[in-house]
Every structure is written in structure tokens, then in C-alpha cells.
Amino acid sequence: MNRLEKIRNFCIIAHIDHGKSTLADRLMESTGTVALRDMTDQLLDSMDIERERGITIKLTPVRMKYVRDGVEYELNLIDTPGHVDFNYEVSRSLAACEGALLVVDATQGVEAQTLANVYLAIDNDLTILPVINKIDLPSADPESVKREVEEVIGLDASDAPLISAKEGLNIGEVLDKIIDFFPHPRGDEDAPLKALIFDSYYDNYKGAVCLVRIKDGKVKVGDKICMMATNMTYEVTEVGIFSPKPTPSDILSVGDVGYICASIKNVSETAPGDTITFAENRCSAPCPGYKKVLPVVYCGIFPADGSKYNDLRDALERLKLNDAALYYEQENSAALGFGFRCGFLGLLHMEIIEERLEREFNLDLITTAPGVNYKVYKQSGEVVTVTNPSNLPPVQEIDHIEEPIVSADIYTPPDYIGAIMDLCQEKRGEYKDMVYLDKTRVKMSYIIPLNEIVYDFFDSLKSRSRGYASLDYEIKGYRESDLVKLDILLNNEICDALSIIVHREKAYQRGRSLTEKLKEVIPRQMFEIPIQASIGSKVIARETVKALRKDVLAKCYGGDISRKKKLLEKQKEGKKRMRQVGTVQVPSEAFMSVLKLDDK
Amino acid sequence: MKSIYIHIPYCRSRCTYCSFVSGAPHETMRLYVRALVSEIKDRLTGGEISSIYVGGGTPSVLYRGALTEIFDTVRSRCKVAGDAEITVECNPDSVTADFVDELVKTGVNRVSIGLQTDNDALLKFVNRPHDKSGFLKAYTLLSPIENKSVDLMLGLPMQTKDDLLSSLDLVTGLGAPHISLYALKVEEGTVLYQSGFTADDDFEAELYDLAFEYLRAKGYDRYEVSNFCKDGKLSKHNYGYWDLIDYYGFGVSAHSYLDGYRIANTDNVSKYIGGNYEAERVDARDDRAEEYIMLSLRTSKGLDLNRLTGYGVDLLRTKRKEIDEFVKNGFLTLSNGFLRLTDGAFYVMNGIIASLI
């Protein structure tokens, strides 16, 4: 048996909560990769947020040794992110594998994300082995789930291991099937180096660390390498494998999964999908499929306490070190002061960044409504892209505006078809197709403006389907649309941080719900505050916050002024958390409260 | 000159809105007065006193002779100025001829009577121990002491504008030279709080405006947000609090302000009787400017900017923008070195003060 025949590179595909990370833990445990005492649940997900949300954000490969019939196999598990925002990253890590375990929950069946990732795996020519998990649960129905896998996905599920990752049931069978069922890697050890970067991370001492799958050739310390997309060259300072901690080795050879360090300053130089080859003796063609990743969702991020601007900048810099897809530039808002306009791969990516900024860097943030990248065609013939509503050119200069659209697939039990059709209609969706996958599942396809997806689509979809429907989408391009800038005026002054770009037909409804919400969250002040929503100079909705009538401590009790002092200090503290918009004090929370409005 | 506050934590019954230390069992009264006398002896050592105020609780429920003992002790430890204002609080139900006699004999020259409202149903609802006719009787009994103040409340549960006007009619009709008008505050831990009653701030503000206009028309001057007087009969003692003068606070839960220190006595009557008077002492010497801003703006005299500069804060430099804005919007006036709230701003002063400190 040659070296390559003893290697298997595989990944695990699963819907959130179907047990991917638990299965990964069991595999590592069974192969003795980690001593039991070192196990914490979900070992691969090293970030707190990953553990809590049960999702994988950063990829972590791990090498396991498995001995069978006297032969020691090397099993490389490449973990994949499980969310649509990271589709491209998923596809790159799939490209590093030959096989994929498809974990399906025996109580839930196939879900939208599972399908999306299965198609990605099929696109990447992977061999797919279904694994039915959670068979220990009373409501488990492995036979019908198997049938669903066969009918919906078209995979042969007759050999699918029935397991319980939680209970450690039938894990050995999975390991055996990985060896018997998945092809071993192929490639030419003597060819020039060809290594696929499927992820990278930043290490304070080593710089950007490339996670690679060696497709051809071999690499060792001292080799001069080159990134084929950027043509930048480096000298290798370390190579190694993950077991699961990074462990230096002498050489990485064809078929291997491991890491390469080369004093690379920034993860933006180690783009997933790029190919590493030798600087001198180059391989003939890079690995296929490389794409430059661009942000699709934008929002403004500001420190709640204006004096924390530098802290926010430093924090974004730190995150950017490890996240090439994060984009940010300085933004100056009249209402919120200095902050950043940030770009993300999607809503989840945005939420994760916000959460990490708040948690890991202890920052209190104000974020503005998420928006997308608009193409504005001016009458002068110039085309500008606008991600910040405040930068929209004056109406009279605009010829027309185009907005990004997505093709969205929604998977749902048939009961909710009506509700979902209504939702898609409200969200300006254009119906494309509907397919009954089986008696209990329907796939509905729509073209929907991304602008509508980023605005509470997930939440509405979940609430209208009682959590059953799932969504997958892909950017399809741009389409002309009748969009307008909706401004909010507080005491007759525009509050730039609350401006949004909306479809003209939606403007009235949004204007109304925004003004209503703001009326609730802006405290009464010493004068009456009109809150208006306007398009250009036309006011389309108005609410009023009445003037404050009583704000006094009537009595200083028997010379005890401590209560009054405390009250005033509290009031003063409260003021610090307020933003001044013209003459109006607006609490930081107000900016956040308008992000999620119920249009109903 | 300093002033003295003395707290009497006894009441016949507890009003449902009350959060003061007032419910001590009456059997402890003699022990309490003994402790009070001993605290005064301990802490009061010379100096001249410009005012004394005995509050509560209900000082009028004290046994006869108690006030005499207390005032004798004070006079033995310091010089009480000849024109000193000496006030005792009383509730109509416990005012008797004996009591009035003792007041006169001990040199008390001002009384503060808790009426709150003249609507008997409302009085009963908040568990006041008297009715309107009891008040009138007490008022007559107290005629030897001309300088009277009557306490009224705003925003009692179910109180209407007519209720308030009727109470004001009654009190001004009697010619009371001083009226305190306190808005009901629903404090945590009170019976009223537990009953789930919440104040209607807007209505309360309306009542306040109504009372303000009414009293102005009757020649009463609002010299502080909750206090009205005619013929210059303001409460010298209370004015001292807003003017940052030094004062002793004797008795349970009393507060003192001496040489820049704020001292709080214990809230616990047993501890107090046991001789543990003081509970907390805070160095407030650096707070003088802030305290002066927040207290002086309560008064119609307003904030003396020169005096504040003496406390180390030049408000016209540090808060010029805020002051200009408030002046422009008609909430403050600035004249002759004094900063004053305008009439309309008195009832929303917290926000203004918070911006200036």
C-alpha cells in the first residue's frame, strides 16, 4: 500500500444542530487524537461564539491516526463553516477533500442548508456518505430520513451508518466507512508544488498561517513560494499538521492537509482558493475556483461612547488580521460622530463581528441599519456605488438606481406555503418555481432584492413558519429599481444615522413604523419633538414626543440631600449615553431599536 | 451661625405614602428622648444657632415635657439667637391645649401643620389620622403662634383639581403665611407602592401649575419649588438647606452638614437608643459647588455666580453653551450675576441642573 492509499481527506456537512461538531469530537476521541481528559465539547470550534451558537466560523483541520488490520491510516478532517454567508469558504474547504460525511438528524430530516452544501460537495466531485445521527432520540425515524436522503438528494442511503454521536454509538462504523468508501487522494509527488489554500488565520508570532491541501509536489522550510493570485513571493518558515494543535513537521507532501507559514504579514495575502506554488518552478495551472470575496452587506458601527473611537479602530484592525472578508472604512456621522462603515459577507458575518467587538473587546456599539451596495447611474453618465444612504447623490442628479438581487430557495413544510408566499410578495420577491421534494417538503424559489433579505427577512420567515422554513440564497446580479432615500427628522433636523434606502412603495410603511418606534424610545424632553419621516422635502409620516412636564425632586427631606444628588448623578450619567441630534437627546438604544421593526 | 434639625420618629398611624422613619413603638419614647438629649449634649458644643426645626414623624405626639427637656438641653449647650426661628411640626389630631401651651413656653415661634388635603375621603384613603374639622380645631388652638405653615400634597390618589383648589381656598382663607406644596412621591416599600399606584406626572404638573397661579394671585411668593409664603414669611430653617449653611441633625435618621461633611445618623431606633448615633460620614468638601448649583436653583433667588466662583467653578466659562441654550429657550434667565429658572422651568429643573453640574 503506498502512502497516498493510507490517506483520507474528508469533511462533515450538516445543518446547524444536526450534530456535526459532536461527531467530530467522537471521531477524535475514538482515534485517540485527543485524550478524553482534554475533551471539551466541540473541540474544533475554538471561539466562544462558535460554541454558543453551535456554528463553525473558522475552519480547523485535524489529523487523526486510525489503525485497522495493522495498517495506520491518516484521516484528515476538514471542518467547514455551516452558513450561507460563508458559502465560498465552504466550497474551498470542500475542494480540499475527496469525501464528505453528510450528517442528517434522524428526527429532523434534510434541511435547506444541508442541501445547499450537498450541492457544493457534488460540484466539487466529492464522494458523499450519509450518516443518520441522533438515533437514540425517541422521535428518531431513521428509515424515513434515509428515504428522504434518497428521494430528495438522490444519494444511496442503504449503507448509511445509524449513529448517535452524543452517545458514541456506531462511531467505529463511520471510521471504517471513511476508509472503505472515500477515495484516497491522488497527485504527483514529483511535480512542482501545487497547494490549495482553504483558509488562513493570523498568529502573532508566525504571521498569516495558510491552511493547505497539497495537490501536487511537496513543501518544506526554506522553499521559496508564490501565491498565484497575487504573485507575491515568500520563504517558508514552518510547515506542519494539526493534531489538533498545530505541530511542526519536516515536510508536507502530496495528499497532505496541513499548514504553511512564511512570514506573511496579513491574511488578505492568503486568500482562500488561492494556490501556492514554487516561486521558480511553478505548477502549470492554479487550482480551479478562486474568487475574490467581496462584502455584500454593509452597516455603520459606532462606539456608544464617542471617546472609544480609537478602541473600536484597534479592535477592527485586530479582527481584520484574521478575517480578510471584513471590510471597513472611517465614517463620520453628524449624529453618531466618528465610526466605521463596515462590509460583511452576510448578516451572520455581520452579527458575529458585532458580537466579537462587544465581547472580546468590551465595546459598547451603536450599529446602523444594514444596507447593500447600490449602483447609482447619474444623469451625467457617471456610475457610483453607494453603501451609505448619506452618500446617495441628490435626486435630481440620479438617472436610475440598481440594487443587488438574490435567487432565494426556501425549504418548508407545505403548511406554510401561503404564509411564505405572502412574505416573499411583501419583500418584492419574484416567484420562480415551486417543487414538492416529497409529501412534507417544498422548495420555493424566488428572486428577491438583497435589500429586503437584510431587513428582517430571516426573522419573518422563521416566525411565519414557526421556525420550520429555511433559506438559502445566492447573489444573482443587479436590477433597476425605484429606490428612494428615506430620512428621519428630529425636531426638523435630519438624523443621518437613521436614513435608509428603500423601495418607493415601502417608504410609507417604513416611515410610519420608524416614527412610531422612535416615539417610544426617545424620552420626553423640555420641548416638544416632532419626529418626521421624509422623502426629499416631502414628509410622509409624523409623530410627536410631548414636552416633559415633571422632572423635579419636590422635597429635600430634613436636610438629606443624598437622594437628590444620586438622582442628578444618574441623570447626568444617562445624558452621557445620549447622542445629540440637533437639539434632541437621543438614547443610543434608539438607534438600535429601529433595526428590528415589525412591519405588521 | 448654624441650624438644628431634630427628628421625632413617632406617629399615631402610618400614612400609606410615608417612607420616613416614623413607626417606632411609643413605649420607647422616653428612652428615645433620653438618647436624643444625650446626643445633643455630646455633639453640640457652643456656637450660635439661627434656627431649630423639630420634624418627624409627628413631634406633637410626644409626651408633655419632652419638648421642654429637648429645648432646655439645646439652650444649655449653645446660644440660640434672639430672632431664631423655632419650628415644630404637628398633625392636627395630636394638637391639644397642653401641647400648644408647651410650645409657647419653650419659645417655639413657628408651627408646620400637616393637612395634605381637606377632602376627608382622600385623607382616609391615605390613612391620615385626622379630618378637615380636626385640622380647623387644631388651627384655632395654635392661634398663639402666628407664624404657621400648612403642608398640602399634590397628586394623591384620586385627587382632582377641585380638591386641590378647595384645600388652597381653605388654607389661604385662614391666612396661613406659609404653604408647602409637595408632590406625592411613590417610594418603594410604602403601602401605596405595594398597592401598585403610580403617579401621573402630567396631571401632577397640571396641579402644580394650577396651584402656582392660584397662590400667586393670592399674593404668595414661590421662594422655592415647593414652598410659598406671603409677607416674606419664608422658612428660614429650610432656606438654610438651600443656602448651604451648616446644620446639626439630631435623632434617628437625621442628617447633619458640618464643615463640609455630610453626616447621616442611623435609621435604626434601637441602635440609636443604644447610643450609636452616627451611621455614615461623607467628606463633601469638594462637592460644595455641585451642591450649591443643585440647591440654589430650587429657589427664586437663584444661583449667585460669584459665590459659585468662590467654590471654584466659573459656570459662565465651563457651561456657557448650555446656559446660552437654556436662556435662548426660555428656561433660565441670567441677570446681575444670578442664574434663575423661569417660572415654566421650575417643575422640569432636574434636566437643567444635570446639564450644569
Side-chain angles (χ1 to χ4, degrees):
Chain A
M1 207 183 273
N2 73 29
R3 198 183 68 88
L4 285 177
E5 284 169 349
K6 292 188 247 174
I7 300 177
R8 297 293 182 278
N9 295 320
F10 69 102
C11 59
I12 307 178
I13 297 172
H15 185 67
I16 291 171
D17 288 341
H18 281 199
K20 180 177 73 173
S21 298
T22 319
L23 175 58
D25 287 352
R26 286 302 155 262
L27 293 175
M28 279 187 274
E29 198 184 292
S30 306
T31 53
T33 309
V34 220
L36 265 179
R37 64 183 135 75
D38 292 336
M39 292 283 301
T40 53
D41 278 347
Q42 302 184 14
L43 209 63
L44 293 184
D45 296 340
S46 52
M47 275 190 267
D48 282 349
I49 299 178
E50 292 183 322
R51 289 219 183 104
E52 272 169 38
R53 294 193 173 211
I55 51 171
T56 304
I57 302 159
K58 292 304 279 186
L59 308 167
T60 321
V62 60
R63 176 183 288 190
M64 300 177 280
K65 287 204 162 60
Y66 183 57
V67 181
R68 195 178 72 174
D69 306 329
V71 182
E72 187 181 270
Y73 292 90
E74 176 188 317
L75 310 182
N76 291 308
L77 164 60
I78 297 173
D79 204 9
T80 57
H83 192 275
V84 50
D85 284 2
F86 306 102
N87 238 337
Y88 174 70
E89 281 78 353
V90 177
S91 81
R92 291 310 81 208
S93 56
L94 294 180
C97 304
E98 280 79 35
L101 296 175
L102 168 63
V103 180
V104 184
D105 187 322
T107 68
Q108 305 278 325
V110 179
E111 308 261 359
Q113 265 171 22
T114 328
L115 273 182
N117 284 344
V118 167
Y119 293 139
L120 277 179
I122 292 170
D123 288 348
N124 281 286
D125 290 328
L126 300 200
T127 303
I128 301 170
L129 173 67
V131 175
I132 314 296
N133 191 19
K134 303 197 188 180
I135 57 159
D136 57 311
L137 294 181
S139 57
D141 188 357
E143 284 315 309
S144 82
V145 169
K146 269 189 184 179
R147 225 173 15 252
E148 195 177 84
V149 169
E150 291 184 345
E151 282 169 15
V152 177
I153 312 179
L155 286 174
D156 178 8
S158 54
D159 277 346
L162 304 182
I163 68 161
S164 163
K166 193 164 144 251
E167 303 295 331
L169 213 65
N170 295 340
I171 302 301
E173 191 188 338
V174 177
L175 286 167
D176 286 339
K177 287 255 163 66
I178 288 170
I179 292 166
D180 297 337
F181 199 63
F182 290 157
H184 62 75
R186 287 157 210 282
D188 182 355
E189 190 170 8
D190 301 319
L193 174 67
K194 181 177 180 181
L196 170 71
I197 303 178
F198 58 87
D199 194 16
S200 62
Y201 65 86
Y202 188 81
D203 181 284
N204 281 339
Y205 303 104
K206 301 173 186 170
V209 179
C210 307
L211 309 195
V212 295
R213 156 70 194 275
I214 312 290
K215 294 284 192 180
D216 282 316
K218 44 188 180 287
V219 62
K220 60 182 189 312
V221 174
D223 286 345
K224 301 265 191 313
I225 54 166
C226 158
M227 305 290 168
M228 295 185 80
T230 60
N231 241 338
M232 298 191 41
T233 58
Y234 309 89
E235 187 180 317
V236 176
T237 57
E238 184 179 325
V239 298
I241 57 153
F242 295 90
S243 64
K245 297 224 177 314
T247 312
S249 63
D250 298 334
I251 196 163
L252 285 180
S253 190
V254 60
D256 279 340
V257 169
Y259 66 88
I260 299 176
C261 307
S263 306
I264 305 168
K265 285 201 188 64
N266 200 307
V267 286
S268 60
E269 297 165 37
T270 56
D274 198 356
T275 303
I276 303 179
T277 188
F278 288 134
E280 296 299 328
N281 183 15
R282 297 192 176 199
C283 61
S284 51
C287 306
Y290 170 75
K291 270 201 301 195
K292 202 166 151 49
V293 183
L294 295 170
V296 293
V297 176
Y298 295 82
C299 78
I301 297 187
F302 297 83
D305 173 354
S307 66
K308 295 276 165 68
Y309 169 79
N310 286 329
D311 296 0
L312 175 59
R313 191 195 53 214
D314 294 348
L316 282 168
E317 246 165 49
R318 296 284 313 166
L319 290 181
K320 172 83 184 168
L321 278 177
N322 231 336
D323 185 350
L326 170 64
Y327 156 90
Y328 65 91
E329 64 177 17
Q330 201 198 68
E331 180 179 356
N332 188 8
S333 151
L336 298 176
F338 286 107
F340 296 91
R341 173 116 312 229
C342 302
F344 310 94
L345 296 175
L347 286 175
L348 180 76
H349 188 211
M350 178 175 88
E351 276 174 35
I352 288 165
I353 294 293
E354 286 169 9
E355 211 169 309
R356 292 188 65 189
L357 286 171
E358 296 198 318
R359 258 205 241 185
E360 295 170 28
F361 299 91
N362 239 332
L363 291 165
D364 218 351
L365 303 177
I366 300 178
T367 56
T368 61
V372 301
N373 216 331
Y374 299 97
K375 283 188 186 159
V376 181
Y377 292 77
K378 295 170 80 167
Q379 285 177 343
S380 62
E382 195 192 344
V383 183
V384 288
T385 51
V386 172
T387 63
N388 184 346
S390 302
N391 296 340
L392 197 69
V395 177
Q396 58 275 15
E397 289 178 21
I398 298 173
D399 183 68
H400 68 279
I401 305 176
E402 287 185 356
E403 64 177 335
I405 50 166
V406 303
S407 78
D409 288 341
I410 298 160
Y411 296 79
T412 176
D415 305 3
Y416 306 108
I417 292 174
I420 290 168
M421 284 172 78
D422 287 347
L423 173 66
C424 291
Q425 195 98 34
E426 284 164 30
K427 298 291 179 186
R428 301 190 278 133
E430 182 189 316
Y431 172 79
K432 281 288 168 207
D433 192 18
M434 183 162 81
V435 183
Y436 273 79
L437 301 172
D438 59 31
K439 280 201 290 292
T440 60
R441 306 182 60 78
V442 177
K443 179 175 106 169
M444 302 167 75
S445 304
Y446 277 86
I447 300 288
I448 303 179
L450 180 61
N451 166 315
E452 299 286 348
I453 300 273
V454 302
Y455 176 70
D456 89 350
F457 189 89
F458 286 114
D459 290 347
S460 302
L461 181 67
K462 286 289 171 195
S463 71
R464 292 189 197 194
S465 66
R466 301 195 182 175
Y468 281 111
S470 55
L471 167 79
D472 183 41
Y473 67 85
E474 196 181 354
I475 305 275
K476 264 285 171 269
Y478 276 78
R479 188 164 72 180
E480 186 177 339
S481 184
D482 188 9
L483 298 163
V484 292
K485 178 166 161 244
L486 179 68
D487 290 318
I488 297 294
L489 291 84
L490 302 176
N491 204 14
N492 304 312
E493 287 191 49
I494 289 184
C495 179
D496 60 355
L498 292 172
S499 296
I500 48 171
I501 293 174
V502 282
H503 193 263
R504 189 180 299 277
E505 282 170 17
K506 290 296 188 69
Y508 287 86
Q509 193 189 31
R510 287 286 285 281
R512 251 197 322 277
S513 47
L514 273 168
T515 49
E516 278 166 15
K517 185 73 192 180
L518 285 167
K519 186 191 171 185
E520 277 171 39
V521 294
I522 294 178
R524 292 169 65 178
Q525 293 167 36
M526 297 185 63
F527 44 87
E528 187 177 283
I529 305 163
I531 304 173
Q532 295 159 307
S534 75
I535 301 171
S537 57
K538 188 176 168 211
V539 173
I540 58 170
R542 179 189 161 117
E543 293 284 339
T544 307
V545 177
K546 284 196 292 177
L548 183 65
R549 290 296 306 277
K550 186 195 169 198
D551 181 25
V552 65
L553 195 62
K555 194 177 177 181
C556 288
Y557 306 90
D560 175 12
I561 66 163
S562 57
R563 294 195 217 197
K564 185 162 171 66
K565 262 169 127 173
K566 269 185 206 135
L567 183 88
L568 286 173
E569 257 145 44
K570 222 171 108 192
Q571 207 149 350
K572 207 175 153 189
E573 276 309 301
K575 262 203 160 93
K576 278 196 200 150
R577 291 195 50 83
M578 297 278 197
R579 293 309 178 112
Q580 186 89 25
V581 179
T583 50
V584 182
Q585 303 277 333
V586 183
S588 305
E589 300 81 52
F591 294 97
M592 310 294 284
S593 70
V594 299
L595 299 185
K596 283 191 176 154
L597 296 172
D598 194 357
D599 277 348
K600 285 260 116 179
Chain B
M1 292 235 269
K2 295 182 167 70
S3 69
I4 293 176
Y5 174 79
I6 295 169
H7 190 78
I8 306 298
Y10 299 97
C11 277
R12 283 228 170 120
S13 57
R14 190 158 172 91
C15 310
T16 58
Y17 52 79
C18 181
S19 64
F20 297 130
V21 179
S22 68
H26 287 208
E27 308 84 78
T28 61
M29 216 181 263
R30 282 176 193 276
L31 287 172
Y32 181 78
V33 171
R34 193 190 295 167
L36 194 56
V37 164
S38 120
E39 189 200 1
I40 295 169
K41 281 184 183 158
D42 276 7
R43 293 182 51 203
L44 188 58
T45 50
E48 191 171 3
I49 295 301
S50 57
S51 73
I52 304 173
Y53 193 103
V54 184
T58 315
S60 49
V61 302
L62 282 173
Y63 58 90
R64 294 295 80 82
L67 283 174
T68 309
E69 196 184 349
I70 293 166
F71 285 126
D72 284 352
T73 309
V74 170
R75 288 178 202 280
S76 72
R77 305 297 293 173
C78 69
K79 179 175 172 7
V80 177
D83 63 346
E85 176 192 275
I86 303 176
T87 309
V88 172
E89 276 183 357
C90 38
N91 267 352
D93 58 293
S94 48
V95 174
T96 60
D98 282 358
F99 173 71
V100 178
D101 193 44
E102 187 175 3
L103 291 184
V104 173
K105 284 194 176 129
T106 50
V108 172
N109 52 24
R110 188 171 180 273
V111 285
S112 168
I113 314 164
L115 169 61
Q116 318 312 355
T117 173
D118 72 329
N119 179 330
D120 285 349
L122 291 185
L123 287 169
K124 198 172 161 200
F125 184 82
V126 295
N127 202 32
R128 293 285 299 173
H130 62 87
D131 56 12
K132 179 181 172 181
S133 71
F135 164 75
L136 287 170
K137 241 179 272 166
Y139 201 91
T140 313
L141 279 171
L142 284 164
S143 50
I145 297 166
E146 270 177 47
N147 196 359
K148 293 192 199 65
S149 175
V150 177
D151 282 358
L152 293 177
M153 287 185 85
L154 290 177
L156 288 166
M158 299 174 288
Q159 187 181 26
T160 64
K161 287 183 183 174
D162 285 344
D163 286 332
L164 179 65
L165 287 174
S166 157
S167 302
L168 289 168
D169 275 342
L170 176 73
V171 176
T172 55
L174 290 167
H178 190 280
I179 297 172
S180 293
L181 202 58
Y182 295 119
L184 174 72
K185 189 153 185 287
V186 185
E187 303 266 10
E188 232 172 289
T190 60
V191 174
L192 199 58
Y193 179 87
Q194 283 154 9
S195 76
F197 176 80
T198 51
D200 177 350
D201 285 354
D202 284 6
F203 184 62
E204 225 174 82
E206 273 180 53
L207 290 177
Y208 180 81
D209 289 347
L210 185 72
F212 171 65
E213 292 301 335
Y214 178 100
L215 289 170
R216 184 159 64 177
K218 297 265 180 182
Y220 286 80
D221 171 35
R222 173 180 59 187
Y223 68 96
E224 193 260 357
V225 59
S226 303
N227 289 284
F228 300 76
C229 72
K230 57 179 191 180
D231 311 327
K233 289 276 173 54
L234 52 75
S235 163
K236 280 197 220 164
H237 181 83
N238 282 334
Y239 207 89
Y241 295 142
W242 309 313
D243 207 31
L244 286 190
I245 77 159
D246 278 14
Y247 50 85
Y248 293 95
F250 298 123
V252 73
S253 78
H255 288 73
S256 306
Y257 180 55
L258 295 166
D259 302 322
Y261 282 83
R262 294 206 172 266
I263 303 156
N265 276 5
T266 177
D267 279 349
N268 183 314
V269 176
S270 320
K271 272 195 189 157
Y272 183 81
I273 289 173
N276 297 316
Y277 313 130
E278 188 176 313
E280 194 186 34
R281 177 180 290 255
V282 178
D283 182 355
R285 283 176 297 182
D286 293 339
D287 298 351
R288 225 176 276 245
E290 191 172 297
E291 291 179 356
Y292 180 64
I293 294 171
M294 81 180 211
L295 293 169
S296 65
L297 283 172
R298 298 178 69 83
T299 65
S300 59
K301 183 183 168 199
L303 189 163
D304 180 346
L305 289 162
N306 267 332
R307 183 170 166 188
L308 186 63
T309 313
Y311 297 146
V313 173
D314 182 357
L315 212 56
L316 285 184
R317 227 188 31 172
T318 56
K319 297 285 179 179
R320 185 82 223 194
K321 209 181 101 215
E322 287 84 349
I323 291 173
D324 285 348
E325 190 72 19
F326 284 128
V327 169
K328 196 183 95 194
N329 292 314
F331 296 117
L332 282 179
T333 61
L334 176 62
S335 67
N336 303 325
F338 275 82
L339 206 53
R340 291 186 191 88
L341 294 176
T342 57
D343 285 345
F346 262 80
Y347 229 52
V348 285
M349 66 165 68
N350 283 353
I352 299 171
I353 294 170
S355 314
L356 296 180
I357 59 176

